[in-house]
Amino acid sequence: MQTLSLPIMKLIKHTLVEVRGLKLHVAEIGTGPKVVLFLHGFPEIWYTWRHQMNAVAAAGYRAIAIDFRGYGLSELPAEPEKGNFMDLVNDVVALLDTLGINKVFLIGKDFGSITAYLVAVVHPDRVSGLVSLGIPFMLPGPNCIRNDLMPPGFYITRWQEQGRAEADFGRLDVKTVIRNIYILFSGTEPPTARDDQEIMDLVDPSTPLPPWFSEEDLAAYASLYEKSGFRFALQVPYRSLGIDCGITDPKVTAPTLLINGQKDYLLKFAGVEDFTKSEQLKHFVPDLDNVFLEEGNHFVHENLPKQVNELIINFLNKHCN
């Protein structure tokens, strides 16, 4: 198993756990009955939680972060193009069963938040509480992201087109693709290309990484995506976002904390900021605390780790029975 050179990483244990016929990569630090499970987004893997895992473990919790199926060091399913969000939900629940964990706090980012919401809706007895970074309550389906209300070159629309992202990414090495996406997603506007551009063309090669994301961080991400590639990542989340999961009148009954970066480009998606700040959100998530961090961006847990860690630990301590 690959080890990372950062000193804080040395205490994290790495294992491969058999879950529903696939070996999933599990990173873990801390012990005890109070368990926090971290669910990453894209272009992330378990490593995105490096700051939170150590803080949560120091606060007395068992911190677990996974690579979703088809990501990082986890195995790719046999038919990745058939993947959907319920595969991830079922993986999470099966992993908890395998590890002998009855209830857990879920912390999600990006599509990891959508997965966390789904677990909380479908398996409420397994969830002690939920923290979402940047994603208000949403479930996969035709109205999940309103591409039709966004410009034609909107990156999600582009990446949902079979073969287009594969050709775009394929012009570059994996490290450059991850670098470009981190730069794009750190901005305040949704990445949108002209008709004569692809999404990767939006980044000038001389653009530096964000100051809170080091070359060492980039190398860690790139090494894991070199193993997994982007085949499943393009299916889940992007090409499966519109697949209805068949849930009617969904409710998250667990206490929930939504941490938003005010500079997160996702707030510029059609209708998202209004919904995030509306009372309508509490129809789906009645026990909700909603926090905005003025300098936070799409990677709020990485660009403002101390503030996010404090919010998370206070939430965990408040709701830990």
Side-chain angles (χ1 to χ4, degrees):
M1 184 63 63
Q2 178 187 3
T3 57
L4 300 170
S5 60
L6 289 175
I8 61 171
M9 294 290 100
K10 291 180 180 178
L11 297 176
I12 295 178
K13 180 179 71 173
H14 298 268
T15 55
L16 291 174
V17 178
E18 183 91 13
V19 175
R20 302 177 61 236
L22 293 174
K23 290 178 180 176
L24 297 188
H25 172 230
V26 176
E28 186 172 347
I29 184 171
T31 59
K34 302 182 296 183
V35 185
V36 181
L37 178 61
F38 294 91
L39 304 176
H40 66 78
F42 179 81
E44 299 140 353
I45 28 75
W46 78 270
Y47 182 88
T48 194
W49 302 112
R50 59 199 179 280
H51 305 299
Q52 286 69 48
M53 289 183 74
N54 286 279
V56 163
Y61 294 84
R62 179 182 175 189
I64 301 172
I66 64 171
D67 292 342
F68 280 121
R69 59 169 54 204
Y71 280 81
L73 298 176
S74 291
E75 287 188 333
L76 186 72
E79 297 180 289
E81 286 75 22
K82 293 184 178 180
N84 61 62
F85 276 88
M86 291 309 297
D87 289 322
L88 308 186
V89 171
N90 294 334
D91 285 351
V92 167
V93 175
L95 176 67
L96 296 179
D97 291 342
T98 300
L99 298 179
I101 298 168
N102 183 41
K103 293 192 77 167
V104 69
F105 285 95
L106 295 176
I107 301 184
K109 151 76 169 55
D110 195 70
F111 81 88
S113 291
I114 298 176
T115 305
Y117 287 132
L118 273 167
V119 173
V121 169
V122 179
H123 301 279
D125 56 316
R126 307 303 294 270
V127 181
S128 299
L130 190 156
V131 180
S132 173
L133 302 178
I135 302 288
F137 179 82
M138 60 176 71
L139 297 183
N143 294 317
C144 181
I145 301 294
R146 293 296 304 273
N147 295 29
D148 58 315
L149 300 179
M150 300 296 288
F154 179 45
Y155 78 100
I156 291 181
T157 304
R158 289 287 183 90
W159 290 354
Q160 286 175 338
E161 184 181 330
Q162 292 291 338
R164 188 155 191 170
E166 288 87 340
D168 187 17
F169 294 0
R171 298 176 296 154
L172 307 167
D173 61 79
V174 168
K175 189 174 184 179
T176 302
V177 173
I178 297 295
R179 172 190 284 272
N180 287 355
I181 294 173
Y182 248 83
I183 290 168
L184 287 172
F185 284 13
S186 296
T188 58
E189 297 294 327
T192 304
R194 301 189 309 263
D195 289 346
D196 62 346
Q197 286 180 312
E198 297 300 329
I199 298 301
M200 289 294 105
D201 297 329
L202 296 174
V203 181
D204 186 315
S206 66
T207 304
L209 286 169
W212 41 266
F213 192 73
S214 70
E215 288 289 343
E216 189 170 21
D217 295 331
L218 176 62
Y221 273 73
S223 68
L224 294 172
Y225 273 96
E226 281 167 1
K227 192 267 180 190
S228 66
F230 300 101
R231 190 175 170 189
F232 190 80
L234 288 168
Q235 176 63 22
V236 183
Y238 298 103
R239 293 169 188 167
S240 58
L241 270 175
I243 298 175
D244 196 309
C245 48
I247 297 171
T248 56
D249 193 25
K251 281 251 187 337
V252 174
T253 56
T256 300
L257 172 64
L258 174 56
I259 303 172
N260 306 277
Q262 188 62 61
K263 294 183 177 180
D264 188 340
Y265 73 88
L266 190 117
L267 291 173
K268 302 287 181 66
F269 285 16
V272 167
E273 183 165 14
D274 288 344
F275 178 58
T276 301
K277 295 180 176 180
S278 73
E279 283 300 309
Q280 183 190 3
L281 183 54
K282 291 201 173 184
H283 169 76
F284 301 103
V285 191
D287 190 357
L288 174 69
D289 288 324
N290 198 349
V291 177
F292 282 82
L293 298 180
E294 186 176 350
E295 295 303 315
N297 64 22
H298 188 63
F299 303 103
V300 65
H301 63 303
E302 292 185 278
N303 90 291
L304 297 176
K306 289 183 180 179
Q307 288 174 257
V308 170
N309 291 351
E310 183 178 356
L311 288 168
I312 287 174
I313 290 167
N314 286 343
F315 173 83
L316 296 175
N317 291 341
K318 178 180 177 181
H319 297 288
C320 192
N321 295 326

PDB file of all heavy atoms in Angstrom, residues 183-209:
ATOM      1  N   ILE A 183      -7.631  24.205 -10.046  1.00  0.00           N
ATOM      2  CA  ILE A 183      -7.600  25.651 -10.315  1.00  0.00           C
ATOM      3  C   ILE A 183      -8.988  26.138 -10.733  1.00  0.00           C
ATOM      4  O   ILE A 183      -9.490  27.149 -10.207  1.00  0.00           O
ATOM      5  CB  ILE A 183      -6.543  25.961 -11.392  1.00  0.00           C
ATOM      6  CG1 ILE A 183      -5.134  25.756 -10.812  1.00  0.00           C
ATOM      7  CG2 ILE A 183      -6.700  27.385 -11.918  1.00  0.00           C
ATOM      8  CD1 ILE A 183      -4.027  25.754 -11.858  1.00  0.00           C
ATOM      9  N   LEU A 184      -9.626  25.429 -11.656  1.00  0.00           N
ATOM     10  CA  LEU A 184     -10.951  25.834 -12.127  1.00  0.00           C
ATOM     11  C   LEU A 184     -11.977  25.830 -11.000  1.00  0.00           C
ATOM     12  O   LEU A 184     -12.765  26.772 -10.851  1.00  0.00           O
ATOM     13  CB  LEU A 184     -11.416  24.903 -13.246  1.00  0.00           C
ATOM     14  CG  LEU A 184     -10.742  25.057 -14.607  1.00  0.00           C
ATOM     15  CD1 LEU A 184     -11.174  23.936 -15.527  1.00  0.00           C
ATOM     16  CD2 LEU A 184     -11.077  26.412 -15.227  1.00  0.00           C
ATOM     17  N   PHE A 185     -11.982  24.771 -10.215  1.00  0.00           N
ATOM     18  CA  PHE A 185     -12.994  24.623  -9.171  1.00  0.00           C
ATOM     19  C   PHE A 185     -12.737  25.534  -7.968  1.00  0.00           C
ATOM     20  O   PHE A 185     -13.591  25.666  -7.105  1.00  0.00           O
ATOM     21  CB  PHE A 185     -13.074  23.163  -8.713  1.00  0.00           C
ATOM     22  CG  PHE A 185     -13.789  22.233  -9.666  1.00  0.00           C
ATOM     23  CD1 PHE A 185     -14.098  22.612 -10.958  1.00  0.00           C
ATOM     24  CD2 PHE A 185     -14.148  20.957  -9.258  1.00  0.00           C
ATOM     25  CE1 PHE A 185     -14.747  21.754 -11.832  1.00  0.00           C
ATOM     26  CE2 PHE A 185     -14.806  20.087 -10.111  1.00  0.00           C
ATOM     27  CZ  PHE A 185     -15.107  20.481 -11.405  1.00  0.00           C
ATOM     28  N   SER A 186     -11.558  26.154  -7.917  1.00  0.00           N
ATOM     29  CA  SER A 186     -11.277  27.113  -6.846  1.00  0.00           C
ATOM     30  C   SER A 186     -11.807  28.502  -7.175  1.00  0.00           C
ATOM     31  O   SER A 186     -11.775  29.391  -6.324  1.00  0.00           O
ATOM     32  CB  SER A 186      -9.764  27.194  -6.596  1.00  0.00           C
ATOM     33  OG  SER A 186      -9.260  25.965  -6.132  1.00  0.00           O
ATOM     34  N   GLY A 187     -12.284  28.673  -8.392  1.00  0.00           N
ATOM     35  CA  GLY A 187     -12.792  29.972  -8.810  1.00  0.00           C
ATOM     36  C   GLY A 187     -14.215  30.218  -8.354  1.00  0.00           C
ATOM     37  O   GLY A 187     -14.866  29.356  -7.758  1.00  0.00           O
ATOM     38  N   THR A 188     -14.704  31.413  -8.644  1.00  0.00           N
ATOM     39  CA  THR A 188     -16.038  31.808  -8.194  1.00  0.00           C
ATOM     40  C   THR A 188     -17.108  31.635  -9.267  1.00  0.00           C
ATOM     41  O   THR A 188     -18.295  31.843  -8.995  1.00  0.00           O
ATOM     42  CB  THR A 188     -16.038  33.287  -7.747  1.00  0.00           C
ATOM     43  OG1 THR A 188     -15.598  34.103  -8.836  1.00  0.00           O
ATOM     44  CG2 THR A 188     -15.109  33.497  -6.559  1.00  0.00           C
ATOM     45  N   GLU A 189     -16.705  31.258 -10.487  1.00  0.00           N
ATOM     46  CA  GLU A 189     -17.665  31.072 -11.575  1.00  0.00           C
ATOM     47  C   GLU A 189     -17.639  29.626 -12.064  1.00  0.00           C
ATOM     48  O   GLU A 189     -16.568  29.018 -12.137  1.00  0.00           O
ATOM     49  CB  GLU A 189     -17.338  32.003 -12.749  1.00  0.00           C
ATOM     50  CG  GLU A 189     -17.447  33.492 -12.420  1.00  0.00           C
ATOM     51  CD  GLU A 189     -18.883  33.914 -12.114  1.00  0.00           C
ATOM     52  OE1 GLU A 189     -19.810  33.343 -12.704  1.00  0.00           O
ATOM     53  OE2 GLU A 189     -19.044  34.830 -11.283  1.00  0.00           O
ATOM     54  N   PRO A 190     -18.797  29.057 -12.415  1.00  0.00           N
ATOM     55  CA  PRO A 190     -18.815  27.698 -12.958  1.00  0.00           C
ATOM     56  C   PRO A 190     -17.981  27.614 -14.233  1.00  0.00           C
ATOM     57  O   PRO A 190     -18.151  28.439 -15.136  1.00  0.00           O
ATOM     58  CB  PRO A 190     -20.296  27.454 -13.263  1.00  0.00           C
ATOM     59  CG  PRO A 190     -21.042  28.415 -12.388  1.00  0.00           C
ATOM     60  CD  PRO A 190     -20.157  29.627 -12.289  1.00  0.00           C
ATOM     61  N   PRO A 191     -17.066  26.655 -14.329  1.00  0.00           N
ATOM     62  CA  PRO A 191     -16.260  26.527 -15.546  1.00  0.00           C
ATOM     63  C   PRO A 191     -17.146  26.343 -16.779  1.00  0.00           C
ATOM     64  O   PRO A 191     -17.981  25.440 -16.833  1.00  0.00           O
ATOM     65  CB  PRO A 191     -15.425  25.271 -15.276  1.00  0.00           C
ATOM     66  CG  PRO A 191     -15.352  25.179 -13.778  1.00  0.00           C
ATOM     67  CD  PRO A 191     -16.673  25.676 -13.298  1.00  0.00           C
ATOM     68  N   THR A 192     -16.943  27.219 -17.741  1.00  0.00           N
ATOM     69  CA  THR A 192     -17.786  27.230 -18.943  1.00  0.00           C
ATOM     70  C   THR A 192     -16.906  27.539 -20.147  1.00  0.00           C
ATOM     71  O   THR A 192     -16.175  28.533 -20.148  1.00  0.00           O
ATOM     72  CB  THR A 192     -18.896  28.285 -18.812  1.00  0.00           C
ATOM     73  OG1 THR A 192     -19.647  28.037 -17.615  1.00  0.00           O
ATOM     74  CG2 THR A 192     -19.839  28.239 -19.996  1.00  0.00           C
ATOM     75  N   ALA A 193     -16.992  26.703 -21.167  1.00  0.00           N
ATOM     76  CA  ALA A 193     -16.146  26.849 -22.354  1.00  0.00           C
ATOM     77  C   ALA A 193     -16.934  27.465 -23.509  1.00  0.00           C
ATOM     78  O   ALA A 193     -18.152  27.325 -23.599  1.00  0.00           O
ATOM     79  CB  ALA A 193     -15.597  25.486 -22.771  1.00  0.00           C
ATOM     80  N   ARG A 194     -16.211  28.131 -24.391  1.00  0.00           N
ATOM     81  CA  ARG A 194     -16.800  28.587 -25.650  1.00  0.00           C
ATOM     82  C   ARG A 194     -16.976  27.391 -26.587  1.00  0.00           C
ATOM     83  O   ARG A 194     -16.454  26.304 -26.347  1.00  0.00           O
ATOM     84  CB  ARG A 194     -15.904  29.636 -26.313  1.00  0.00           C
ATOM     85  CG  ARG A 194     -15.620  30.872 -25.496  1.00  0.00           C
ATOM     86  CD  ARG A 194     -14.898  31.902 -26.368  1.00  0.00           C
ATOM     87  NE  ARG A 194     -13.739  31.331 -27.047  1.00  0.00           N
ATOM     88  CZ  ARG A 194     -12.483  31.429 -26.607  1.00  0.00           C
ATOM     89  NH1 ARG A 194     -12.215  32.070 -25.470  1.00  0.00           N
ATOM     90  NH2 ARG A 194     -11.486  30.885 -27.305  1.00  0.00           N
ATOM     91  N   ASP A 195     -17.666  27.619 -27.676  1.00  0.00           N
ATOM     92  CA  ASP A 195     -17.893  26.552 -28.651  1.00  0.00           C
ATOM     93  C   ASP A 195     -16.587  25.990 -29.208  1.00  0.00           C
ATOM     94  O   ASP A 195     -16.491  24.809 -29.538  1.00  0.00           O
ATOM     95  CB  ASP A 195     -18.755  27.047 -29.813  1.00  0.00           C
ATOM     96  CG  ASP A 195     -20.206  27.291 -29.395  1.00  0.00           C
ATOM     97  OD1 ASP A 195     -20.581  26.836 -28.299  1.00  0.00           O
ATOM     98  OD2 ASP A 195     -20.945  27.933 -30.170  1.00  0.00           O
ATOM     99  N   ASP A 196     -15.554  26.864 -29.304  1.00  0.00           N
ATOM    100  CA  ASP A 196     -14.281  26.432 -29.891  1.00  0.00           C
ATOM    101  C   ASP A 196     -13.282  25.982 -28.832  1.00  0.00           C
ATOM    102  O   ASP A 196     -12.093  25.840 -29.124  1.00  0.00           O
ATOM    103  CB  ASP A 196     -13.678  27.561 -30.731  1.00  0.00           C
ATOM    104  CG  ASP A 196     -13.367  28.803 -29.891  1.00  0.00           C
ATOM    105  OD1 ASP A 196     -13.859  28.900 -28.733  1.00  0.00           O
ATOM    106  OD2 ASP A 196     -12.628  29.686 -30.384  1.00  0.00           O
ATOM    107  N   GLN A 197     -13.738  25.766 -27.601  1.00  0.00           N
ATOM    108  CA  GLN A 197     -12.867  25.354 -26.501  1.00  0.00           C
ATOM    109  C   GLN A 197     -13.348  24.059 -25.873  1.00  0.00           C
ATOM    110  O   GLN A 197     -14.533  23.706 -25.963  1.00  0.00           O
ATOM    111  CB  GLN A 197     -12.873  26.400 -25.381  1.00  0.00           C
ATOM    112  CG  GLN A 197     -12.122  27.678 -25.624  1.00  0.00           C
ATOM    113  CD  GLN A 197     -12.242  28.573 -24.398  1.00  0.00           C
ATOM    114  OE1 GLN A 197     -13.333  28.780 -23.875  1.00  0.00           O
ATOM    115  NE2 GLN A 197     -11.111  29.094 -23.941  1.00  0.00           N
ATOM    116  N   GLU A 198     -12.416  23.376 -25.188  1.00  0.00           N
ATOM    117  CA  GLU A 198     -12.768  22.321 -24.246  1.00  0.00           C
ATOM    118  C   GLU A 198     -12.483  22.844 -22.837  1.00  0.00           C
ATOM    119  O   GLU A 198     -11.819  23.875 -22.665  1.00  0.00           O
ATOM    120  CB  GLU A 198     -11.980  21.047 -24.536  1.00  0.00           C
ATOM    121  CG  GLU A 198     -12.264  20.443 -25.901  1.00  0.00           C
ATOM    122  CD  GLU A 198     -13.719  20.044 -26.104  1.00  0.00           C
ATOM    123  OE1 GLU A 198     -14.383  19.676 -25.116  1.00  0.00           O
ATOM    124  OE2 GLU A 198     -14.206  20.114 -27.249  1.00  0.00           O
ATOM    125  N   ILE A 199     -12.970  22.141 -21.823  1.00  0.00           N
ATOM    126  CA  ILE A 199     -12.837  22.624 -20.446  1.00  0.00           C
ATOM    127  C   ILE A 199     -11.372  22.758 -20.041  1.00  0.00           C
ATOM    128  O   ILE A 199     -10.983  23.729 -19.374  1.00  0.00           O
ATOM    129  CB  ILE A 199     -13.597  21.697 -19.469  1.00  0.00           C
ATOM    130  CG1 ILE A 199     -15.094  21.686 -19.793  1.00  0.00           C
ATOM    131  CG2 ILE A 199     -13.370  22.144 -18.015  1.00  0.00           C
ATOM    132  CD1 ILE A 199     -15.793  23.034 -19.730  1.00  0.00           C
ATOM    133  N   MET A 200     -10.529  21.820 -20.461  1.00  0.00           N
ATOM    134  CA  MET A 200      -9.109  21.897 -20.105  1.00  0.00           C
ATOM    135  C   MET A 200      -8.424  23.125 -20.709  1.00  0.00           C
ATOM    136  O   MET A 200      -7.388  23.579 -20.211  1.00  0.00           O
ATOM    137  CB  MET A 200      -8.382  20.625 -20.529  1.00  0.00           C
ATOM    138  CG  MET A 200      -8.715  19.386 -19.723  1.00  0.00           C
ATOM    139  SD  MET A 200      -8.176  19.452 -17.984  1.00  0.00           S
ATOM    140  CE  MET A 200      -9.757  19.748 -17.156  1.00  0.00           C
ATOM    141  N   ASP A 201      -8.996  23.678 -21.778  1.00  0.00           N
ATOM    142  CA  ASP A 201      -8.414  24.859 -22.414  1.00  0.00           C
ATOM    143  C   ASP A 201      -8.609  26.125 -21.572  1.00  0.00           C
ATOM    144  O   ASP A 201      -8.010  27.158 -21.877  1.00  0.00           O
ATOM    145  CB  ASP A 201      -9.040  25.090 -23.796  1.00  0.00           C
ATOM    146  CG  ASP A 201      -8.758  23.960 -24.770  1.00  0.00           C
ATOM    147  OD1 ASP A 201      -7.681  23.337 -24.657  1.00  0.00           O
ATOM    148  OD2 ASP A 201      -9.624  23.681 -25.631  1.00  0.00           O
ATOM    149  N   LEU A 202      -9.444  26.048 -20.558  1.00  0.00           N
ATOM    150  CA  LEU A 202      -9.757  27.234 -19.760  1.00  0.00           C
ATOM    151  C   LEU A 202      -8.624  27.634 -18.822  1.00  0.00           C
ATOM    152  O   LEU A 202      -8.638  28.736 -18.267  1.00  0.00           O
ATOM    153  CB  LEU A 202     -11.024  26.994 -18.931  1.00  0.00           C
ATOM    154  CG  LEU A 202     -12.317  26.776 -19.713  1.00  0.00           C
ATOM    155  CD1 LEU A 202     -13.452  26.414 -18.772  1.00  0.00           C
ATOM    156  CD2 LEU A 202     -12.665  28.012 -20.533  1.00  0.00           C
ATOM    157  N   VAL A 203      -7.649  26.742 -18.611  1.00  0.00           N
ATOM    158  CA  VAL A 203      -6.569  27.017 -17.662  1.00  0.00           C
ATOM    159  C   VAL A 203      -5.279  27.317 -18.410  1.00  0.00           C
ATOM    160  O   VAL A 203      -4.799  26.494 -19.199  1.00  0.00           O
ATOM    161  CB  VAL A 203      -6.351  25.832 -16.704  1.00  0.00           C
ATOM    162  CG1 VAL A 203      -5.229  26.157 -15.713  1.00  0.00           C
ATOM    163  CG2 VAL A 203      -7.632  25.510 -15.955  1.00  0.00           C
ATOM    164  N   ASP A 204      -4.720  28.494 -18.141  1.00  0.00           N
ATOM    165  CA  ASP A 204      -3.393  28.832 -18.660  1.00  0.00           C
ATOM    166  C   ASP A 204      -2.366  27.972 -17.920  1.00  0.00           C
ATOM    167  O   ASP A 204      -2.374  27.924 -16.682  1.00  0.00           O
ATOM    168  CB  ASP A 204      -3.122  30.321 -18.401  1.00  0.00           C
ATOM    169  CG  ASP A 204      -1.829  30.808 -19.023  1.00  0.00           C
ATOM    170  OD1 ASP A 204      -0.804  30.094 -18.892  1.00  0.00           O
ATOM    171  OD2 ASP A 204      -1.817  31.900 -19.604  1.00  0.00           O
ATOM    172  N   PRO A 205      -1.474  27.278 -18.642  1.00  0.00           N
ATOM    173  CA  PRO A 205      -0.506  26.403 -17.986  1.00  0.00           C
ATOM    174  C   PRO A 205       0.377  27.103 -16.952  1.00  0.00           C
ATOM    175  O   PRO A 205       0.920  26.453 -16.060  1.00  0.00           O
ATOM    176  CB  PRO A 205       0.342  25.867 -19.147  1.00  0.00           C
ATOM    177  CG  PRO A 205      -0.530  25.976 -20.350  1.00  0.00           C
ATOM    178  CD  PRO A 205      -1.380  27.193 -20.117  1.00  0.00           C
ATOM    179  N   SER A 206       0.500  28.421 -17.053  1.00  0.00           N
ATOM    180  CA  SER A 206       1.342  29.149 -16.093  1.00  0.00           C
ATOM    181  C   SER A 206       0.603  29.509 -14.808  1.00  0.00           C
ATOM    182  O   SER A 206       1.214  30.038 -13.867  1.00  0.00           O
ATOM    183  CB  SER A 206       1.874  30.435 -16.744  1.00  0.00           C
ATOM    184  OG  SER A 206       0.801  31.336 -17.024  1.00  0.00           O
ATOM    185  N   THR A 207      -0.699  29.231 -14.746  1.00  0.00           N
ATOM    186  CA  THR A 207      -1.475  29.569 -13.546  1.00  0.00           C
ATOM    187  C   THR A 207      -0.975  28.749 -12.365  1.00  0.00           C
ATOM    188  O   THR A 207      -0.871  27.527 -12.449  1.00  0.00           O
ATOM    189  CB  THR A 207      -2.967  29.274 -13.773  1.00  0.00           C
ATOM    190  OG1 THR A 207      -3.419  29.968 -14.925  1.00  0.00           O
ATOM    191  CG2 THR A 207      -3.788  29.708 -12.565  1.00  0.00           C
ATOM    192  N   PRO A 208      -0.660  29.407 -11.233  1.00  0.00           N
ATOM    193  CA  PRO A 208      -0.175  28.651 -10.069  1.00  0.00           C
ATOM    194  C   PRO A 208      -1.308  27.904  -9.373  1.00  0.00           C
ATOM    195  O   PRO A 208      -2.489  28.237  -9.536  1.00  0.00           O
ATOM    196  CB  PRO A 208       0.398  29.737  -9.154  1.00  0.00           C
ATOM    197  CG  PRO A 208      -0.396  30.967  -9.499  1.00  0.00           C
ATOM    198  CD  PRO A 208      -0.684  30.858 -10.976  1.00  0.00           C
ATOM    199  N   LEU A 209      -0.932  26.895  -8.607  1.00  0.00           N
ATOM    200  CA  LEU A 209      -1.898  26.214  -7.752  1.00  0.00           C
ATOM    201  C   LEU A 209      -2.414  27.187  -6.692  1.00  0.00           C
ATOM    202  O   LEU A 209      -1.730  28.146  -6.330  1.00  0.00           O
ATOM    203  CB  LEU A 209      -1.243  25.021  -7.055  1.00  0.00           C
ATOM    204  CG  LEU A 209      -0.969  23.781  -7.894  1.00  0.00           C
ATOM    205  CD1 LEU A 209      -0.091  22.811  -7.110  1.00  0.00           C
ATOM    206  CD2 LEU A 209      -2.278  23.103  -8.301  1.00  0.00           C
TER     207      LEU A 209
END
